[in-house]
Amino acid sequence: MKYLGLLHLSDIHCGRANDQLAKAMACVPGILKDPEMAEIEKIVVLLTGDLTFSGSKKEFGEVAVMLKKLRAELGDKYWTTVMVPGNHDCDFSKPQTVRNMVLRQIPSESEPIFQEDLVTTCTAVQDEFFAFMNEFCENAPINDKLRLYWEIRLNDGDVAVTLDCYNTSWTSQLHEKPGTLAFPRSLLKKLGDGKNVDLRVGLLHHPTNWITPMRRRALDSHLERTCDIVVSGHEHLVKASSIQDFSGHITNHIQAGVFHEGPGDTPGEFSLIQVDIEERKFRVIKCRSVSSRDYTEIARPVDIFRPFRRDRSRIAHGYQISPDFEAFISNPGVEFTHPSGRQITLEDIFVMPDFRSVSKASEEDSITFLPGERLHQFIDDNKLVFVSGGELAGKTSVAKKVFVGSLQSGALPIWINGSEITNNTASDVSKLIKNGINRCYLNAEFDEFVQSENSELKVLIIEDFNKSKINLKAKNDLLQELEKNFSSIIVFADPSLSLRELTLTDLELDFRQRYEQIEICEFGPSRRRALAEKWLLLGNEKTISSDQLRQKVEEAEQVFKLLRGDSYFPSLPFFLLSILQIKDSSALRDGVGKYGYHYESLINDALLNSFGKVSEDDRRNYLSLFAYQLFTNKSESLSDQEWELLHRNFQTTYKKSVSKSEIEKIVLGSKLVIQIEGVWKFRYPYVYYFFVARYFRDRLHDGRILEIVESLSSNFHTELATNIWMFLVHQSKNPILLGILIKRAKSLLPQYPEAEMDNDLRFFSKIGQKPDELEAYVIDTPQEKRERLRDDDRNEAINGDGEKSTSIPETDSIFKEIDASLKTVQVLGQMLKNFSYEGDTKIDLVRQGSLLCFRLLGFLLSALEKQHNEFIDFIAKKLAKLNSGTQSYEEARQEVTRNVVRIARMNILGIFRFAAVALGSKDEEEVYDEFTKEVKSNAGDLLAMAIKLESAKLPINEISKLAAKLKNNYIAESTLKLLVIHHCYVFEPKISDLQAVCDSLGLKAKSLETKRTLKALQG
């Protein structure tokens, strides 16, 4: 036999509008009349569940009549029918009390529920299905495992086919959700691998994303190891996919659509899988049974043939990867929740970080940037590599990708954990290698591995080397011994075990000469965007447009930028994904611009994931008291003795007899607090600021606390004061805070006029230098934009994040006041965004924030008007002297003047954009319009426009009107142009909108089909 047909039907739902169902079923054999089907010799009918609507004996009797007619119509080509039950094939009218008690154990991933008597209890709701199957199907099941799994084996001459049946609905309930069903891992270990058959097909009703996470990984691994084709139903979606696993191989999954949903003339969807047994290939032919027209149609064009081969994956030099280790490799390590409901794998969300490389060639460290995409080549070139990174830097994920990369390149990688290393004797080294082999592979022998001729392909990966219990010299000896057995060793460790420390501890240690040291960098701009893009595409690959994706990525990047502003939010995958996993995308948009919103999400998740008997409110009160103690001590940490006093203080203050060990277990488990060598401290500054603010929030009625809060408002030039206030106005809308802040805003920079961007710009004409003409070019392709962002990654990796704030020296009073003004505007903006105030209050918040920004602008313009001549003259003389003979004083003065105007213009732009980001909110357009009418100045109009341009929509008509108003004011007009140019660069508008706005502003737009990003070129 060459061609076999697998007629795949699912979700028949007999029991609802059976007349229509019978007509649809009668049309199915019509597929054989199509010329494409002529070569098929045998047909196996595959029914992947939900044959009935409610699992009753009557419904199974009715579907039996239809299936018998189908069997007769298929004639001589019919071979057999194979079926598995679905959730609708369960009769839930039977008593459920005991069954429900058993099912409550499922979320724990516990295996004891798979005892025979408990399984019998749970499958009792499927009695009618099994009675029907045993009576209808020609081939008796073999290798039956408690109704949870059985096989059907078929033979035709020298062709052997096995169909593996998995009962995924034995724990189904009336209302079930993805990720809640069970299939026993212990059972999978008892099943064969089916090597000696020509075709092996797995049948399930539920796709595996309906199984609990750990069980799903085990089931996926088993299916991919044993089956050529996996078929399922349930989700009412026709879907065929080839999934590439971590070792580069493919498993074919075919999902059926709904054949019959109920009343209505919906065409019945089914598939015919045509298998070429001899050449080991197949294709999926999608069909629809149109009962109203009495025919079956085939989707055109017909699918192409695709190869399949079993046992293709997880084989390295004859060694088969262990399913448990494969599950470990695929596990992201943290259970993130995605809005799509799908179970997240590491591959779904992994973005390779970049690295800093410390050269070993010179006496002094030479730090260079190593792009993540070059990591594998770097390892190939250097063989011995030491990778360091903090606790949440993603070392284990990188190590997993190194393992996968080694496997795909043809090497034989082994994985060991530093915590297993307790000695460095020869026997211990052999034991480590043996354990590593057994962990990674099913059928590898130690002696065979050691004696293998492919020694140059052996790769060792050591995770958490810092957790080894041996001393530094012993570590060095151990690595030297391991180097005799492996051509390449990649060591992963915390920074606490840096090569510098090792080298300086003992001069005889020569790590630096043998091992290249690299450090995992925090994510730069392009890595953050890549991560956001991966997350937002999950489950939306076929539905989201490029414009929608780009807008969502920009929204995510705005959140990242907001939280990264003072570098209290580590730009690490764990934190970035914690923000992205907010379930509802609208919640992400609602949080854009709200400083405390996402920080609080991180804190809440951390506390909820730390298990213990202490209530949530008590946990927060404890941490608030801890933070306040640090604040009053002006310290970053408490000693063990001070921690003991803190605990007593908590018990006294809150009248709680909470166990000290219990609360310590919770706060340490949350990873918000760390204890190192008898010292207790918050892990991240933002946690400290959040809980100090929470302590103040609950005590604003206390005059002493209120005095502290007011004092902090006078010190916004410091990080401490600003961040406590930012979190305070996130947690409270107390009118006392509003009054303090409004008063503070009015008191800042009173000596400077509020800029109008009109008469106060006239001195530019005295300078005699107009700004250079702006030309807007569409120059960045997506690839060019990625390359530019990669340059930003490189700069951050080498030089650090330039967004970190710095404290202003106390002696620089004007700069201190300017910095305090900027921070005051930010806090005012947070008050506006965090809570819904009455209209007059909102207008006053916008008014005071805007007027303070206008005074900042007034300071800039006043300084330029008063001092530009002296400054220009001073620099021009210096420049002319430096370029004596090649540049005259007049030429130098023109050059300096041109640059002063450029700098002034960019500073003006910066103030408007700062104000727009700080005060802007998509929900307050009426407030801004009201304020603009009140101010009646170019500055007010430009600020209102800057706020509008912070969102994706390009207000072309409003831009055109404002451009006409500012036509004779070239500084104000160029500010408008730069605001629009920035918007277009970030949001990449449609070419037609881009052209329209450039025409209205007199900008030049060079429209190229694949080049969409707007960039300003000046000079």
Side-chain angles (χ1 to χ4, degrees), residues 32 97 145 147 152 172 290 304 345 399 414 488 494 511 534 546 597 649 662 669 722 734 790 828 849 879 924 977 990:
L32 297 181
T97 304
K145 305 292 185 183
R147 288 185 168 184
I152 302 296
S172 283
V290 188
I304 61 172
T345 66
I414 302 297
S488 181
D494 281 349
F511 281 90
K534 267 202 159 191
S546 57
Y597 181 89
N649 187 13
E662 183 70 15
T722 304
N734 192 311
R790 293 298 283 136
L828 285 166
L879 193 61
E924 305 297 347
K977 290 180 179 180
K990 294 184 294 185

Side-chain angles (χ1 to χ4, degrees), residues 928-940:
Y928 305 129
D929 290 342
E930 189 72 25
F931 173 68
T932 304
K933 294 175 185 176
E934 175 185 307
V935 175
K936 296 180 181 178
S937 70
N938 292 340

Side-chain angles (χ1 to χ4, degrees), residues 805-940:
S805 62
T806 55
S807 295
I808 303 297
E810 292 292 329
T811 54
D812 297 332
S813 59
I814 184 59
F815 294 108
K816 184 173 72 171
E817 191 169 4
I818 289 171
D819 194 50
S821 299
L822 293 170
K823 297 297 175 59
T824 301
V825 173
Q826 286 183 314
V827 179
L828 285 166
Q830 291 303 302
M831 295 193 83
L832 178 68
K833 296 172 185 180
N834 289 332
F835 298 106
S836 178
Y837 293 97
E838 293 181 355
D840 289 344
T841 301
K842 288 191 287 188
I843 290 174
D844 201 25
L845 284 167
V846 172
R847 178 188 297 117
Q848 298 308 326
S850 301
L851 294 179
L852 183 50
C853 285
F854 294 164
R855 291 199 294 276
L856 273 169
L857 189 54
F859 160 76
L860 172 67
L861 297 177
S862 297
L864 280 170
E865 184 172 12
K866 291 177 182 177
Q867 301 175 15
H868 70 272
N869 273 324
E870 294 85 349
F871 177 78
I872 292 172
D873 183 62
F874 176 77
I875 298 297
K877 287 178 179 177
K878 292 284 186 183
L879 193 61
K881 184 177 180 180
L882 183 67
N883 298 325
S884 179
T886 61
Q887 188 178 38
S888 67
Y889 168 77
E890 288 301 325
E891 290 171 334
R893 185 177 176 87
Q894 284 185 1
E895 181 181 344
V896 175
T897 301
R898 185 164 55 248
N899 285 317
V900 166
V901 173
R902 285 178 180 168
I903 293 169
R905 184 175 60 190
M906 296 313 294
N907 276 279
I908 292 169
L909 172 70
I911 291 174
F912 278 108
R913 285 217 57 247
F914 169 82
V917 171
L919 299 172
S921 170
K922 63 182 179 63
D923 299 322
E924 305 297 347
E925 288 188 14
E926 292 182 9
V927 173
Y928 305 129
D929 290 342
E930 189 72 25
F931 173 68
T932 304
K933 294 175 185 176
E934 175 185 307
V935 175
K936 296 180 181 178
S937 70
N938 292 340

Side-chain angles (χ1 to χ4, degrees), residues 709-723:
V709 169
E710 191 162 7
S711 173
L712 288 172
S713 73
S714 299
N715 289 277
F716 279 167
H717 59 283
T718 67
E719 295 176 356
L720 175 74
T722 304
N723 285 285

Side-chain angles (χ1 to χ4, degrees), residues 59-112:
E59 290 171 345
F60 279 113
E62 292 168 343
V63 80
V65 174
M66 301 178 201
L67 291 174
K68 286 177 181 177
K69 290 181 179 179
L70 173 63
R71 181 165 63 186
E73 290 291 329
L74 293 176
D76 294 339
K77 292 189 176 185
Y78 174 78
W79 195 353
T80 193
T81 297
V82 182
M83 62 182 71
V84 292
N87 52 301
H88 278 275
D89 296 319
C90 299
D91 185 356
F92 293 121
S93 66
K94 295 185 175 184
Q96 300 288 301
T97 304
V98 177
R99 185 174 188 267
N100 289 338
M101 291 173 62
V102 176
L103 297 186
R104 291 191 191 104
Q105 301 180 48
I106 289 174
S108 68
E109 303 270 8
S110 171
E111 289 291 293

Side-chain angles (χ1 to χ4, degrees), residues 127-364:
D127 285 347
E128 296 299 340
F129 168 85
F130 284 103
F132 166 70
M133 182 186 78
N134 292 332
E135 180 181 348
F136 185 86
C137 297
E138 300 85 350
N139 298 82
I142 61 173
N143 198 20
D144 190 344
K145 305 292 185 183
L146 302 177
R147 288 185 168 184
L148 301 185
Y149 169 88
W150 59 95
E151 298 172 12
I152 302 296
R153 296 181 183 174
L154 306 174
N155 289 279
D156 182 73
D158 58 352
V159 173
V161 177
T162 296
L163 299 113
D164 298 333
C165 301
Y166 301 83
N167 182 359
T168 60
S169 58
W170 74 284
T171 57
S172 283
Q173 301 180 73
L174 273 176
H175 305 289
E176 57 191 17
K177 298 179 181 179
T180 60
L181 302 181
F183 200 88
R185 300 190 300 277
S186 55
L187 174 59
L188 296 173
K189 296 177 181 178
K190 301 176 183 178
L191 305 181
D193 57 17
K195 290 182 179 178
N196 300 318
V197 295
D198 297 287
L199 175 68
R200 193 165 191 128
V201 179
L203 284 75
L204 310 86
H205 176 62
H206 299 83
T208 58
N209 62 294
W210 288 77
I211 309 297
T212 57
M214 291 177 63
R215 298 183 184 114
R216 176 202 174 172
R217 286 193 286 270
L219 181 56
D220 280 339
S221 173
H222 170 79
L223 292 171
E224 291 165 12
R225 189 173 66 254
T226 60
C227 294
D228 300 302
I229 297 170
V230 178
V231 296
S232 62
H234 185 65
E235 293 188 342
H236 297 191
L237 295 172
V238 180
K239 186 177 180 181
S241 59
S242 296
I243 300 175
Q244 186 170 356
D245 67 15
F246 73 84
S247 52
H249 300 294
I250 295 172
T251 300
N252 303 293
H253 291 258
I254 301 168
Q255 196 170 320
V258 58
F259 187 78
H260 175 69
E261 200 158 10
D265 188 30
T266 303
E269 297 175 324
F270 65 98
S271 301
L272 185 72
I273 306 165
Q274 186 178 2
V275 182
D276 186 333
I277 298 290
E278 293 180 2
E279 297 188 25
R280 301 191 61 72
K281 60 184 182 180
F282 77 101
R283 63 176 176 172
V284 180
I285 302 170
K286 298 177 183 179
C287 311
R288 295 198 310 167
S289 179
V290 188
S291 58
S292 61
R293 302 179 188 175
D294 197 27
Y295 80 102
T296 295
E297 63 182 19
I298 295 176
R300 307 288 181 179
V302 174
D303 190 29
I304 61 172
F305 276 97
R306 306 173 191 278
F308 67 83
R309 51 194 174 91
R310 197 173 337 105
D311 283 333
R312 57 211 173 278
S313 63
R314 302 155 191 84
I315 301 297
H317 303 278
Y319 300 155
Q320 186 172 336
I321 304 297
S322 156
D324 288 341
F325 187 72
E326 181 191 350
F328 166 74
I329 288 290
S330 301
N331 187 349
V334 179
E335 294 294 339
F336 292 107
T337 303
H338 193 269
S340 68
R342 65 185 289 172
Q343 182 64 33
I344 304 299
T345 66
L346 179 61
E347 184 62 32
D348 288 332
I349 56 176
F350 183 80
V351 173
M352 182 67 78
D354 296 317
F355 303 84
R356 281 183 289 267
S357 172
V358 181
S359 174
K360 65 184 181 183
S362 60
E363 293 183 4
E364 294 188 3

